[in-house]
Amino acid sequence: MEDGAQQLGHCMVDMKELNADPEGLSAAGAVHKSKRPQVEFSLACNDLVASGGDRKPNALVQVAVIDPHKQHLISHTCTEIVEANGDPLFLTGVTFPSEYHASPETLVKLTVYDAKDKNQESSSLVGSATFSVGELLRAKDERLTLSLSSSASSVPRGIRAHGQNMKMSANAAPWYSDGACAAGTVVVSRLKMGEMEEVDVDHITTDVPSHKCPLVCESASHAGIDRENNPPTGPVFKNPICKVYRFQTEDSKWMLVREQMEECTLSFSVPKQLLSLYIQEDMSRVQDLRELGELSPHWDNLRKEVMTRYGGIISSYQETFAELDKITGRSFKPSCCKAQKSLQFIPINLHTQRMRVTCPKKTDAFYDIVTVGAPAAHFQGFKCGGLQRLLSRYEAEKKSFSTAYQCIYYSPQHTAKAQEVLSTMSLLQPLITSLAEQLLQAAQEHSCPGLRDALKNLSDKTEQFVHTLKDELVKSALLALHAARPGYVSKSQKQNPAQGGQHQGRVLQGAEQSPSPAQGLPGHSPATSTTDGTAMCNNVDGSQNPHPLMRGEGAPLKHQDSIPHHKEYDEEEWDRVWANVAKCLNCVIAMVDKLLEEDNSKQEPVPEQQQQQQQLADVIISHNPGTWKEQLCPLVTRLKECVMEVVEKARRGMTFVLLQEAACSIPQGFLLQQRRDVVFSQALAALACGFVMRLYAGMQDQGFLRQLHLVGLVAQFESLLSTYSEEIGMLEDMEVGISDLQRVLFQITEAQTDDFRDLQPLVCGRRDHFTVEVPLPRLVFQSLPAEIREGKPLRVFPVMFNVGINEQQTIAERFGDITLQERINQRNFETLEAYYKSLSEKLPLECLPSFQTQADLKELLETLGQNVVTKKRKNVEILWIAATICRRLNGIRFTSCKSAKDRTSMSVTLEQCALLRDEHQLSKDFFIRALDCMRSRLTQGDVGQWDDPEAGGPTDNKPASRHFYPIALLLVSSHLLVVWLILSLVFLLAKYQ
């Protein structure tokens, strides 16, 4: 178990300290350099008396703190309620997060209440006591026994109450007990991390007889969660909220469990960076449209309309960016703002949660999870469904759009290819130019090794450039662009006056069309074919309105989704242009080989191929005598000119493809793109948050780092949305958003400085491909494997499993349709299975973390596959098994529901207790109590943001009533539910008649 725990635990690394002293790591990867132990203590009471006298009290303790510097009273936290026990032992302890730096002068007030019910609708004061932190630290065994006083008193002079929970306690008890009206005692015991001892205490009992109570937890090292000395999750996390518990194990020992939830700065920084990139990309697209040159009136009208649409998107995104730039201080978006336009790109309630488990004589274990609201376009609504349904409908209707707008229909594959070509050219063209300059610099320095390296890099990138452009789509797009020029129509009309501008065309069919014999001809892509009939040219007179509903009564326009062909256009011109790049590269290679051979003092036999290159170089040198640079400069210049010529032509062709795709999708295509941008922004912010957290946790795990650069990481999104009502649209949005994360790569870079501002991740790229750069401090970066340091792109494999669990899902399963959920689970299971197969081929499974439950991964996958295809209502086994597989695969865990509140918190707390039971032998008798402690909102006091991060103050435990009828009761019987539905319908009809 000890070895397993060492592999299981995610290390917590202080980047500042590690950068200063990289040798300060223990074998488990934790930094043991805490400068000041964290003050944490447990609570227990003795001899409490209920107000009624005929029953035992339901005790809870409210903890308040007085800061000696600020001089005001702060409601800090509450324990759970221990029912019907006069000697309660509280499992929830007290800890001070980073904003509460406890000094010896800090005063702590403990107020004990008798809660008559769990909802705390009515409670009575039992008593209160006060102590200072210094008294606890100086006490023997760091343990205090304080008498509770029930006499009334006000808050001391000069101290003001702060926090809503203080309404009950601020005037209820004195700060310094005078012994009057003694109501029992409270025992305060300091908690420490590390090895624990058990102490028999007769006057304190637990719910389980004969169990011992830990009053003093001896520790070999104080490794408390002090953010200054040991930030556990990285520089992008802030505002930690901490909770501490003590639970009993099966062998009657005690474990300490700490929860820490934090906000993430990436909630706002990633969407803002994406907005900036969206604006740049759309402005570049507008500029490319302007540079298409002169077009016929029809195409010019379409271009203007598309540019106007792009202008509207750019203006909207700039406005949103300006609004986000005004927001300071906030690090998450509460669910009450989910439909706010200015915050639509921000994920809902994005938080990280880490559970740290300390067991006697065992290495600490860490379990991380990211909670976030389902990525969805709440501002745009779900009246017509979500992205998955809208995109399917849009692709089905786009052909008719292309007919109406007289455009060429391009399939999604062709559009994606056009975007890929533009993206690749934008990356490779400046890179080739830079490498060419490096080649000339090496020639000027007369450096043979530098010349060889520069030539190799230049050759590789140029070959990649040529290979990218060797695509029939580029040639056919240039043909279509030629046909869209103004002169094309007039020439056609002169040559074919009887046909009224008609000409023979080539039809670009969809991917579903069967191939024809003409597909092998020049200018035809695999998706093109010829037609025997004639087709109207796309260049119609500019007086015709391009909108299909506003055409005149003239002759009907025939369907034209063809790539036109004109005999005056030289189809071989494009082949010659991009082939010139390869020829120029060959000349450069030959010249470099000749120069290197002349510099070589030892003459070696020259192979036949090298003799041919030498002859070519001799011819070139005979016309260009001089230094190495002088001989290479004309050839390199010619290469750059050819590359630039190819780029200009290909950019115009691909821009024309995207123009036609945009023109035939007005306005649906632009609205869908905006919706997709919104959803992707939320999903990427969550993924970047999880990746950074997982990276920092596994910095010293060599097996994890090997897995990271050899295969990549799996990111498992657990969704709890129902397949009913508007949540169907949310699920459809989330499905597309998570799938789009496949276009994202991560790259680890070296930070310029160790300042936290320089350690923030950066996003770059275009819509078809984004890269997230994660900077690390210099010394930490140097400790990484060479592949990661060299900038190897790191992949993430997103998978998503959904099981609805609320009452709406019950209705959907009985009367609705759950095929969407079944399809999502089946498709993502296949992705997860493929990832495991790739991982097992490239990496020994011994590198993966080991757990107490040694279930075989292959067996887990088979069980998951069986559950995915099994018809079972609310089959939560799918979520359990998928989460287990994710942790076993070193993956990143996400849990989502509509707002990342109720259902998410229920799922996370249940998962944490199950981990404590399965991996750390949590006693079965303490399982329910542990679950109640983690789910209790009373334990937050003024820090009411743990279960409800958006709450401005404390919340009670009383659930809000959202339904007129108690549906949960009615669902016990399907017959009762049917009766309820019928009666409700009759009631509504009678009311409105």
Side-chain angles (χ1 to χ4, degrees):
M1 173 60 187
E2 293 184 18
D3 295 337
Q6 288 179 3
Q7 296 184 35
L8 172 67
H10 297 167
C11 68
M12 301 200 312
V13 182
D14 184 344
M15 286 301 153
K16 290 183 176 179
E17 293 181 356
L18 181 57
N19 197 35
D21 182 14
E23 303 299 328
L25 290 174
S26 68
V31 179
H32 296 292
K33 300 178 71 173
S34 296
K35 301 174 183 177
R36 180 183 60 197
Q38 181 91 14
V39 178
E40 296 176 328
F41 54 87
S42 62
L43 298 172
C45 292
N46 186 35
D47 300 328
L48 298 182
V49 179
S51 57
D54 56 344
R55 64 178 182 85
K56 293 183 179 181
N58 300 325
L60 73 123
V61 180
Q62 186 180 56
V63 182
V65 179
I66 176 171
D67 190 326
H69 303 291
K70 298 182 180 179
Q71 290 295 306
H72 63 240
L73 185 65
I74 302 173
S75 179
H76 182 58
T77 187
C78 280
T79 65
E80 80 280 9
I81 299 176
V82 179
E83 298 185 49
N85 197 329
D87 302 317
L89 170 67
F90 298 100
L91 301 183
T92 303
V94 179
T95 183
F96 292 96
S98 58
E99 62 264 29
Y100 295 113
H101 294 293
S103 65
E105 297 79 18
T106 300
L107 294 176
V108 180
K109 179 179 180 179
L110 307 176
T111 307
V112 182
Y113 289 94
D114 176 16
K116 295 182 180 180
D117 55 53
K118 276 197 171 185
N119 292 331
Q120 206 189 16
E121 291 181 348
S122 60
S123 59
S124 59
L125 174 68
V126 176
S128 63
T130 304
F131 68 95
S132 68
V133 173
E135 291 174 351
L136 177 62
L137 298 178
R138 291 190 299 269
K140 182 181 179 180
D141 296 331
E142 295 181 319
R143 171 190 166 195
L144 292 174
T145 301
L146 306 173
S147 297
L148 295 172
S149 173
S150 59
S151 61
S153 175
S154 61
V155 179
R157 182 177 302 173
I159 299 174
R160 58 187 178 88
H162 178 76
Q164 295 181 23
N165 272 6
M166 295 310 299
K167 291 179 180 178
M168 294 190 300
S169 60
N171 298 319
W175 277 93
Y176 296 96
S177 174
D178 56 5
C181 303
T185 59
V186 58
V187 179
V188 183
S189 306
R190 189 180 176 202
L191 294 175
K192 302 175 184 177
M193 299 294 290
E195 185 176 344
M196 302 179 188
E197 292 183 357
E198 296 177 0
V199 180
D200 286 311
V201 179
D202 296 331
H203 65 280
I204 296 179
T205 62
T206 66
D207 291 346
V208 184
S210 74
H211 280 187
K212 299 178 181 180
C213 173
L215 290 182
V216 180
C217 305
E218 299 296 340
S219 174
S221 63
H222 303 291
I225 303 179
D226 187 343
R227 189 165 182 80
E228 284 189 3
N229 299 328
N230 194 11
T233 47
V236 300
F237 305 99
K238 58 188 293 187
N239 300 334
I241 300 174
C242 308
K243 293 172 69 175
V244 61
Y245 313 97
R246 50 178 176 173
F247 302 135
Q248 201 160 42
T249 61
E250 290 287 357
D251 55 359
S252 297
K253 297 183 182 295
W254 290 82
M255 72 174 84
L256 283 185
V257 178
R258 284 175 171 82
E259 288 181 305
Q260 177 160 322
M261 187 188 75
E262 295 179 287
E263 302 169 11
C264 183
T265 60
L266 301 182
S267 292
F268 280 78
S269 68
V270 167
K272 287 171 66 176
Q273 293 181 66
L274 279 177
L275 275 171
S276 179
L277 293 174
Y278 290 154
I279 293 170
Q280 293 177 18
E281 181 178 349
D282 289 344
M283 292 178 69
S284 175
R285 186 68 52 79
V286 171
Q287 183 62 29
D288 289 341
L289 289 173
R290 288 196 183 101
E291 295 175 354
L292 272 179
E294 190 178 3
L295 298 177
S296 67
H298 167 69
W299 285 110
D300 193 51
N301 289 336
L302 288 179
R303 173 169 59 178
K304 291 177 180 178
E305 188 173 358
V306 170
M307 290 171 62
T308 300
R309 291 284 181 176
Y310 275 123
I313 294 177
I314 293 171
S315 176
S316 174
Y317 285 3
Q318 287 175 336
E319 180 181 348
T320 302
F321 184 87
E323 290 296 324
L324 292 179
D325 219 24
K326 297 176 183 177
I327 299 176
T328 57
R330 181 187 293 180
S331 298
F332 72 97
K333 180 177 77 174
S335 64
C336 60
C337 301
K338 60 177 172 283
Q340 189 172 330
K341 180 180 180 181
S342 61
L343 298 177
Q344 60 181 327
F345 288 87
I346 310 300
I348 302 170
N349 279 335
L350 176 59
H351 291 82
T352 64
Q353 181 156 321
R354 166 167 290 174
M355 181 176 71
R356 177 180 183 179
V357 185
T358 302
C359 293
K361 300 181 180 180
K362 290 181 174 62
T363 305
D364 289 5
F366 303 89
Y367 302 92
D368 295 338
I369 193 167
V370 179
T371 59
V372 63
H378 292 274
F379 172 74
Q380 298 183 29
F382 309 97
K383 183 178 181 180
C384 299
L387 271 173
Q388 189 273 335
R389 192 190 321 175
L390 293 173
L391 287 171
S392 300
R393 186 185 308 159
Y394 164 72
E395 289 299 335
E397 296 174 352
K398 196 163 68 171
K399 268 197 172 183
S400 61
F401 292 158
S402 64
T403 303
Y405 282 92
Q406 307 172 38
C407 301
I408 301 172
Y409 170 74
Y410 286 98
S411 67
Q413 292 78 13
H414 289 107
T415 303
K417 181 63 179 180
Q419 293 173 340
E420 178 187 347
V421 170
L422 287 173
S423 178
T424 304
M425 287 192 308
S426 65
L427 292 175
L428 290 181
Q429 188 267 330
L431 188 58
I432 291 174
T433 301
S434 175
L435 292 173
E437 295 299 328
Q438 292 180 18
L439 183 70
L440 293 178
Q441 182 65 27
Q444 183 177 1
E445 297 173 356
H446 212 274
S447 171
C448 294
L451 205 61
R452 291 192 188 95
D453 294 341
L455 179 63
K456 182 180 182 304
N457 295 332
L458 178 63
S459 177
D460 291 343
K461 296 304 178 183
T462 306
E463 289 175 4
Q464 182 182 351
F465 177 80
V466 172
H467 179 74
T468 300
L469 296 176
K470 190 179 181 181
D471 192 283
E472 293 297 331
L473 178 63
V474 182
K475 180 188 293 187
S476 61
L478 290 172
L479 283 170
L481 178 60
H482 171 73
R485 301 297 184 190
Y488 179 82
V489 174
S490 60
K491 292 178 181 177
S492 300
Q493 290 174 341
K494 289 179 181 179
Q495 294 173 1
N496 303 294
Q499 297 181 5
Q502 296 180 356
H503 67 283
Q504 297 290 338
R506 300 179 181 179
V507 180
L508 180 64
Q509 305 291 344
E512 71 277 5
Q513 301 262 352
S514 59
S516 69
Q519 286 184 356
L521 298 177
H524 286 271
S525 67
T528 61
S529 63
T530 59
T531 60
D532 296 331
T534 60
M536 178 166 287
C537 175
N538 291 328
N539 279 317
V540 296
D541 191 280
S543 61
Q544 289 180 304
N545 194 302
H547 198 282
L549 301 179
M550 301 187 65
R551 291 198 191 101
E553 297 294 332
L557 294 173
K558 296 182 181 180
H559 174 57
Q560 168 65 22
D561 63 347
S562 65
I563 294 181
H565 168 63
H566 191 269
K567 65 180 182 179
E568 293 189 1
Y569 179 75
D570 187 359
E571 294 186 18
E572 303 301 325
E573 179 185 359
W574 170 247
D575 294 331
R576 289 194 298 270
V577 169
W578 70 260
N580 284 339
V581 176
K583 293 178 181 178
C584 291
L585 178 63
N586 288 334
C587 291
V588 172
I589 294 174
M591 174 60 70
V592 171
D593 289 343
K594 177 65 176 178
L595 295 176
L596 292 176
E597 184 177 351
E598 289 180 351
D599 191 71
N600 191 357
S601 57
K602 296 180 180 180
Q603 297 293 331
E604 298 179 357
V606 181
E608 180 179 353
Q609 182 179 0
Q610 292 186 3
Q611 288 180 357
Q612 296 176 357
Q613 291 182 350
Q614 181 178 348
Q615 294 174 0
L616 176 60
D618 289 339
V619 175
I620 299 173
I621 293 175
S622 62
H623 299 285
N624 295 279
T627 64
W628 281 12
K629 182 177 181 181
E630 291 173 349
Q631 297 179 50
L632 276 174
C633 191
L635 301 179
V636 171
T637 301
R638 178 56 184 161
L639 174 63
K640 292 191 292 185
E641 291 174 351
C642 290
V643 168
M644 185 60 68
E645 183 182 5
V646 168
V647 167
E648 292 300 324
K649 285 183 174 293
R651 179 182 289 120
R652 287 196 294 268
M654 296 300 95
T655 300
F656 189 66
V657 170
L658 298 180
L659 167 63
Q660 296 174 86
E661 195 273 340
C664 70
S665 61
I666 294 174
Q668 292 89 340
F670 286 91
L671 295 176
L672 282 178
Q673 185 61 64
Q674 288 180 273
R675 188 183 190 100
R676 200 165 188 169
D677 289 347
V678 167
V679 175
F680 178 77
S681 172
Q682 299 177 24
L684 181 59
L687 179 64
C689 169
F691 182 88
V692 172
M693 188 180 192
R694 188 64 191 88
L695 176 66
Y696 274 74
M699 201 72 71
Q700 299 300 315
D701 186 347
Q702 295 303 316
F704 165 76
L705 294 176
R706 285 186 61 193
Q707 175 187 353
L708 183 61
H709 71 79
L710 287 177
V711 187
L713 295 182
V714 63
Q716 187 245 330
F717 289 81
E718 174 184 299
S719 171
L720 305 172
L721 294 172
S722 67
T723 54
Y724 181 81
S725 187
E726 66 175 9
E727 289 197 7
I728 298 179
M730 299 178 200
L731 186 57
E732 291 171 339
D733 275 358
M734 185 176 182
E735 179 191 7
V736 175
I738 301 305
S739 176
D740 285 347
L741 293 177
Q742 298 175 2
R743 302 175 296 170
V744 178
L745 295 175
F746 287 83
Q747 195 171 20
I748 311 300
T749 61
E750 182 178 349
Q752 296 180 354
T753 68
D754 296 343
D755 187 84
F756 273 13
R757 288 172 294 185
D758 291 330
L759 296 175
Q760 300 296 313
L762 302 175
V763 184
C764 57
R766 301 164 62 97
R767 282 187 176 92
D768 59 325
H769 173 78
F770 285 102
T771 300
V772 181
E773 298 179 357
V774 182
L776 295 178
R778 182 176 61 86
L779 293 181
V780 180
F781 179 79
Q782 291 177 355
S783 67
L784 297 176
E787 294 85 354
I788 297 179
R789 294 199 310 270
E790 291 170 359
K792 181 178 181 179
L794 310 175
R795 293 193 62 189
V796 172
F797 297 83
V799 293
M800 170 187 169
F801 293 93
N802 183 85
V803 175
I805 61 173
N806 61 358
E807 66 275 8
Q808 290 185 338
Q809 184 64 22
T810 304
I811 298 175
E813 291 177 342
R814 290 179 180 270
F815 308 107
D817 182 15
I818 61 171
T819 55
L820 172 63
Q821 174 176 287
E822 293 173 346
R823 179 179 54 78
I824 289 174
N825 292 340
Q826 179 62 40
R827 180 177 299 177
N828 285 274
F829 168 72
E830 295 170 358
T831 302
L832 185 61
E833 192 175 35
Y835 172 83
Y836 170 74
K837 182 178 180 181
S838 175
L839 177 68
S840 58
E841 292 174 353
K842 298 180 181 179
L843 196 70
L845 297 182
E846 291 75 14
C847 295
L848 298 177
S850 60
F851 287 76
Q852 185 74 13
T853 52
Q854 294 294 336
D856 183 67
L857 266 172
K858 191 173 182 180
E859 294 178 1
L860 287 173
L861 279 168
E862 291 176 356
T863 306
L864 178 61
Q866 294 171 2
N867 278 274
V868 163
V869 298
T870 300
K871 301 292 184 180
K872 181 180 177 182
R873 293 175 179 174
K874 294 186 178 180
N875 189 4
V876 294
E877 281 293 314
I878 294 175
L879 302 181
W880 281 99
I881 300 172
T884 302
I885 293 173
C886 176
R887 293 196 186 278
R888 293 288 301 274
L889 291 175
N890 265 329
I892 312 170
R893 283 274 294 117
F894 300 83
T895 298
S896 298
C897 62
K898 180 178 180 180
S899 302
K901 291 169 57 181
D902 298 333
R903 280 172 280 179
T904 297
S905 62
M906 296 297 104
S907 174
V908 170
T909 50
L910 183 59
E911 179 181 354
Q912 290 181 162
C913 287
L915 287 169
L916 294 176
R917 178 196 60 198
D918 299 337
E919 304 297 330
H920 303 281
Q921 293 79 49
L922 173 67
S923 173
K924 295 179 180 178
D925 299 314
F926 275 75
F927 185 89
I928 299 300
R929 284 195 65 187
L931 196 60
D932 289 342
C933 287
M934 291 182 176
R935 289 178 173 178
S936 175
R937 295 188 179 185
L938 287 175
T939 57
Q940 306 318 314
D942 231 17
V943 194
Q945 300 176 348
W946 184 268
D947 288 325
D948 189 359
E950 62 213 51
T955 58
D956 58 27
N957 224 16
K958 183 178 180 181
S961 177
R962 299 183 181 180
H963 305 281
F964 185 76
Y965 297 101
I967 293 181
L969 177 63
L970 292 172
L971 290 180
V972 174
S973 170
S974 59
H975 301 290
L976 288 177
L977 179 61
V978 173
V979 172
W980 172 75
L981 291 173
I982 295 174
L983 291 177
S984 298
L985 182 59
V986 172
F987 173 78
L988 291 174
L989 290 175
K991 179 180 178 180
Y992 289 105
Q993 282 180 355

